[in-house]
Amino acid sequence: MNRILFTYIRLGLVLLAMVVCPSISYSQYAFNIPSRETSRVIEYNSIWVEVSGKLALCSHSEKGNINLTVGGGKAPYTFKWNTLETSQNRTNLNAGTYTVWITDSEGKVHEQKIVIQPPFPLILNPVVKKDATCGSGADGYAKISVKIGRNDYEPNSPDYQVTWSNGLKNVWEADNLEPGVYTVTVADKYNCDTSVSFEIKSASEGIQVSKTIENISCSSDSNGKISLNVTGGQPPYTYKWNTGATTKDLSNLSAGTYQVQIQDSKGCSFQSAYTISASSTITLSETILQPSCQGNSNGEIKVNVSGGKAPYTYLWNTGETTASAKNLGSGTFSVKITDASGCQVEKQFSLTNESNLQIEILDNRPVSCSGNADGGISLGVKGAKGKIKVSWTDSPSDQLQRKDLKAGVYTVLVSDESGCSVSKTIEVVETQSLTARIESALDVDCAEGTVEGVAWVSIQGGKEPYQITWSTGSENSREISFNKSGTLKVTVKDALGCVTETETKVDFPNTNTQGSRLDFQYRKLSISSEPEVQVKEEIVFESEIAPEFIAWEWNFGDGQKSSDKDPIHIFEKPGTYEVSLTGFDMLGCSSIEKNTINVLAPTEMLVIPNAFSPNGDGLNDTFIPKLRGISSFTLEVFNTWGEKLFTTTSLESKGWDGTYKGQLSLPGNYLYKISFITPDGISQTKTGGITLIR
């Protein structure tokens, strides 16, 4: 050992002499020992050299090598070494000085000396360390240093490279070390290195922890558990998790990493991290075939599933249960995928038509006047795929703008490169046709007996302003007056030059109904010796109306009216009624005549004939009592043997006609029975005989 150390010291002194002593000459070229073996560059005016390779040895068993990069001068170059080698680069070299002469094609010579450094000892001082207080603590300490090394003797040397087994770099001291074995490696400027190992012990037994972990099946679940079993140290223990929990065990955990610090009663602590894992997340990729045209259902979505646990089940919102959904139109579609563990993932897709071809009507210009050809159509196309083709049913093609069109219906067909097509029908109309209508009225003052005719023109369509010319000579006035019958004409021309004409006949009356005869009388419809008007009796109102009256109206005073000339009216209740007759002439003027009628309540009356002769002469042909003031009755007829021949309960009945079962009854005596109810509500019965005369 002493001999080896002496050899290293002697080599070091020799190297030191080489570095410090200026007796070694490098001709007119100066160079410095580089900080790295591949960075030595020699420059000169004509030929220049860059030297790289392994230019220092870490041990006597290693060999060096020299690589030359040459420039300048004029290639090609020849090489001659002091070892008689002629190659450009050298390998398998021992430590020493190597000289090379480089000659270019013009005979210029460059001399280069290169040193392969011999091994140099790298010796570390003993490690200075302090053990940790607890087996689970992290308060140990260690310090290293170099006793002998190349970097300390060669000028302009960089720092040593220091690498600790716990990840620290280029530091000589380390604290917060846990109990355990550590290794530190120190390398010099030529990457020659040496290592030292040491152990940080603990003053007392550390905390030992074993764990039981329950992972989750689905990445979206939160049912994981971490259970700890803690021994060692000095109980009791305290727990502090990175979630904020202070319990020994954790539950309801999602996938992730959970860190805990455990401390015993002496202050020794233990730190660890535990991972809750889940099966890989189910992921989807899809292949989508968009539907071709608007309204088509030839789209398709195919999903590729990875992650989770196979096999998978599929459920689309269309009801399909395979990995593909077919025959789809544009819209939104979703699929829910469940793996063998019951984990699910859902994804939504949006399909749009490759071609959403649509035709827009940008302008539909109507024809100005009837019969003209100045209409126009301007179209726009959107949603097309590629170039479009345009055709019209009336022959023109590749035109989206049309002009000089007559009123009518035009159909266009547009198709694109996807093969989709759409058509639209457009109607070119005439500007709302210019029409005119003459209306007239009579302005009548019934009190003064004066009449004035007024006519006006109603104009529709066309475009204002209008030029108006009347046959009376009046211009640009919509209303005129007239005072005689005849034909009125008007011509209307609008701002577009469209013209329309119209005419109408007007009547101007020359009659005046003032003083014309208007009167009426009334009488009973049935002949009666009683002049009073009774309730339920038919009253005829007979009018005297002059021809000048063209309409009339009756008001009977009981809420009923009539427009008959000679109406028949029945008063349903007793009372005094004012009956009026109003006559209207052709000018709308009216005259009125009034009369008062006193209607009496009916008195009870029952008149029974004692004979009748059914011979068809219209007189006394049936047997029927005369009734008045009776609300209901029943008539029965019997022969002398008590056989019933006839019965009726109708107040409108014509009575017995002298037949029985379709046969004529013999002349003679018969019996009757009449039951009735008086206006006072009293029921009465009358019987007697009747003679049938033939």
Side-chain angles (χ1 to χ4, degrees), residues 55 64 71 155 200 211-212 233 245 266 274 278 282 287 293 308 328 362 424 535 539 551 571 604 622 631:
L55 305 178
I200 297 295
K211 86 283 186 182
T212 301
K266 295 177 64 176
Y274 308 99
I282 302 175
T287 302
C293 305
L328 304 179
L362 303 179
K424 186 174 283 292
V535 172
I539 307 299
F571 293 94
E604 176 190 343
T622 62
S631 59

Side-chain angles (χ1 to χ4, degrees), residues 473-535:
S474 178
E475 292 186 352
N476 296 328
S477 176
R478 293 204 180 198
E479 183 178 301
I480 62 171
S481 299
F482 64 92
N483 55 14
K484 64 179 180 179
S485 299
T487 300
L488 293 177
K489 295 182 180 180
V490 67
T491 300
V492 179
K493 183 177 182 181
D494 71 0
L496 298 174
C498 302
V499 178
T500 185
E501 293 183 345
T502 186
E503 65 179 46
T504 189
K505 291 183 177 181
V506 293
D507 292 322
F508 194 85
N510 53 12
T511 56
N512 191 329
T513 58
Q514 288 185 337
S516 298
R517 176 69 176 170
L518 182 68
D519 198 4
F520 70 91
Q521 304 293 330
Y522 66 90
R523 63 178 176 82
K524 295 183 179 183
L525 184 62
S526 60
I527 300 175
S528 172
S529 59
E530 299 177 352
E532 297 85 359
V533 176
Q534 303 287 332
V535 172

Side-chain angles (χ1 to χ4, degrees), residues 120-234:
F120 194 94
L122 179 58
I123 303 173
L124 301 180
N125 290 312
V127 178
V128 177
K129 68 184 183 70
K130 183 180 72 173
D131 292 331
T133 57
C134 301
S136 56
D139 57 353
Y141 168 84
K143 177 180 180 181
I144 63 170
S145 58
V146 175
K147 185 175 183 179
I148 295 176
R150 194 194 310 265
N151 291 18
D152 296 324
Y153 291 95
E154 296 182 4
N156 301 319
S157 295
D159 294 334
Y160 294 99
Q161 299 178 40
V162 184
T163 304
W164 295 72
S165 59
N166 63 348
L168 294 175
K169 286 186 178 296
N170 298 327
V171 295
W172 299 101
E173 299 179 62
D175 52 11
N176 300 322
L177 299 179
E178 297 179 350
V181 175
Y182 298 83
T183 299
V184 182
T185 300
V186 179
D188 64 11
K189 62 192 293 182
Y190 294 112
N191 288 326
C192 298
D193 60 52
T194 185
S195 299
V196 62
S197 295
F198 60 91
E199 181 181 7
I200 297 295
K201 298 180 179 180
S202 62
S204 62
E205 180 186 4
I207 300 173
Q208 289 86 42
V209 178
S210 62
K211 86 283 186 182
T212 301
I213 295 178
E214 294 183 20
N215 293 314
I216 58 178
S217 55
C218 300
S219 58
S220 59
D221 290 345
S222 298
N223 55 4
K225 293 182 180 179
I226 301 174
S227 300
L228 302 181
N229 181 31
V230 183
T231 59
Q234 183 66 45

Side-chain angles (χ1 to χ4, degrees), residues 526-665:
S526 60
I527 300 175
S528 172
S529 59
E530 299 177 352
E532 297 85 359
V533 176
Q534 303 287 332
V535 172
K536 303 291 186 181
E537 283 189 324
E538 294 181 327
I539 307 299
V540 177
F541 292 87
E542 298 173 333
S543 63
E544 295 182 34
I545 303 175
E548 290 80 8
F549 294 102
I550 61 173
W552 46 84
E553 182 180 71
W554 293 87
N555 190 327
F556 299 107
D558 60 354
Q560 300 297 316
K561 295 181 180 182
S562 176
S563 59
D564 294 338
K565 188 173 184 298
D566 299 313
I568 297 175
H569 186 66
I570 297 175
F571 293 94
E572 299 292 337
K573 295 181 181 181
T576 300
Y577 299 92
E578 184 179 72
V579 179
S580 62
L581 171 61
T582 304
F584 302 92
D585 63 15
M586 62 183 302
L587 300 177
C589 298
S590 63
S591 296
I592 189 168
E593 182 69 20
K594 298 180 180 180
N595 272 317
T596 301
I597 299 177
N598 188 26
V599 179
L600 302 177
T603 58
E604 176 190 343
M605 182 185 73
L606 177 64
V607 179
I608 304 174
N610 55 10
F612 74 104
S613 56
N615 53 11
D617 61 358
L619 298 174
N620 205 23
D621 283 334
T622 62
F623 170 64
I624 186 70
K626 303 298 181 183
L627 305 172
R628 187 175 69 184
I630 294 174
S631 59
S632 65
F633 89 109
T634 300
L635 168 63
E636 297 174 298
V637 179
F638 306 87
N639 61 21
T640 53
W641 291 282
E643 183 179 9
K644 184 185 293 186
L645 305 179
F646 176 78
T647 183
T648 183
T649 60
S650 173
L651 293 173
E652 306 298 328
S653 176
K654 294 181 179 181
W656 184 41
D657 61 358
T659 62
Y660 177 61
K661 294 183 179 180
Q663 300 294 323
L664 298 176
S665 299

Side-chain angles (χ1 to χ4, degrees), residues 31-47:
F31 72 96
N32 294 324
I33 298 176
S35 59
R36 295 180 59 190
E37 63 182 6
T38 59
S39 61
R40 185 186 299 172
V41 178
I42 307 300
E43 294 186 4
Y44 56 99
N45 294 330
S46 55
I47 300 174

